[in-house]
Amino acid sequence: MLDARRLEILTESAKYDVSCSSSGSKRVNAKGGLGNASVGGICHSFTPDGRCISLLKILMSNDCLYDCEYCPNRRSADVPRASITPDEICELTINFYKRNYIEGLFLSSAVFSSPDRTMEALCETVVKLRKIYNFNGYIHLKGIPYADDALIMRAAKYVDRMSFNIELPSEKSLKLLAPQKTRDSLILPMKKLSAAREYDKQNKIRSGKVIPAGQTTQMIIGASPESDGQILRLTEALYRKMGLKRVYYSSYIPVVESPKLPTVGAGLLREHRLYQADWLIRFYGFDVDELCGEGDNLDADCDPKCAWAMRNMQLFPVEVNTAPLEMLLRVPGIGARGAYRIINARKYTALDFDNLAKMRIIIKRAKHFITCKGKFYGSESRGAIKAALMLDNRAENAEQLSMFSSPDVAVSAITGEI
Ligand code: SF4
């Protein structure tokens, strides 16, 4: 029987993994109320069709053989340990599902006994959930480095998504902070999964596809000295060569003491800038080298697209009615959807600033970089533009999204468009 204490330890231990897009909730039901959020372990994720769903986020065990410096579950840490069996996870998942707490499972584990034994137990869990409990909900499974390929591939047939966490952006940092792992132990299984997905695609396999929702990974930011450029070059390679769905960045938080680790956290701003740059690489055609400035890092003062535009003022202003799509995508204040709307609308009429405002273009930002029918309303002074953009960025960074946020902020927060 699974007791509340074990459940608490195993859901709490899973909370630092952000590769499934997570958020916690501690709401308890009040008398006469309706519904009850579980104390720990419920996170949110997005399915391939874009729905936001709740997942039970849990470790099978937090009793690890390995000793990664940054991890609260590492072998040398003095923390309460707990484990759960495949059957207990299945019952818990089905129970929570029937109570409408969750729509899926995010299952991970510390490495107990051996990598193979751990992967075998994870595999057994997902196979049972699908075949014995007939569970058709979403499953995201963490892969175990060094586990046998056959076990990984078997599990991949039963789950929607798999992820191997790269954790640190270079082999050197892995050696220092996670000495039992190597880059190959993480990258090679990812390559094999990617090849298996490609095989399914080429052969038009529809049922029994491996990981139909693809792979993700996570990197810890600021625990090791790599620059933003190094982190983003690795990210770019993962998207390009392995077709990863997402790379998640987790800002380092000093939850464990170690002389090998910084004593202060990396801060959320750096994480935020990396997500913005990641978006620009995937959807706006930017290269890492274009986005990084001094010291191979992103500018902290304004978003990477504004920072790039400020470094390349000789390319602006561009005429909205004639500029190619690639250039419109590079204008601060014109998001990807805005750029496509402009391309479509200008086939029928020449656009002015009023037309752009109706298309939700952020005029106060874009006006410094564009002309409409030859008219320019931006500032001529580089210093004034930089000050206006920084002010705008500060307001955007400071504003918590709410029901009443302006449409510009809300759209940017939801879609990531900048
Ligand atoms: S393998 Fe490393 S990161 Fe994973 S649980 Fe064990 S100590 Fe933590």
Side-chain angles (χ1 to χ4, degrees), residues 392-414:
D392 197 23
N393 265 255
R394 265 206 290 276
E396 179 206 312
N397 293 338
E399 185 168 347
Q400 170 77 42
L401 183 65
S402 80
M403 289 278 284
F404 309 104
S405 293
S406 78
D408 296 346
V409 173
V411 167
S412 168
I414 292 165

Side-chain angles (χ1 to χ4, degrees), residues 64-68 70-75 109-111 167 181:
C64 200
L65 281 177
Y66 293 176
D67 212 24
C68 307
Y70 48 82
C71 179
N73 301 320
R74 71 193 195 281
R75 191 182 56 211
S109 184
V111 185
E167 305 289 22
K181 294 179 187 168

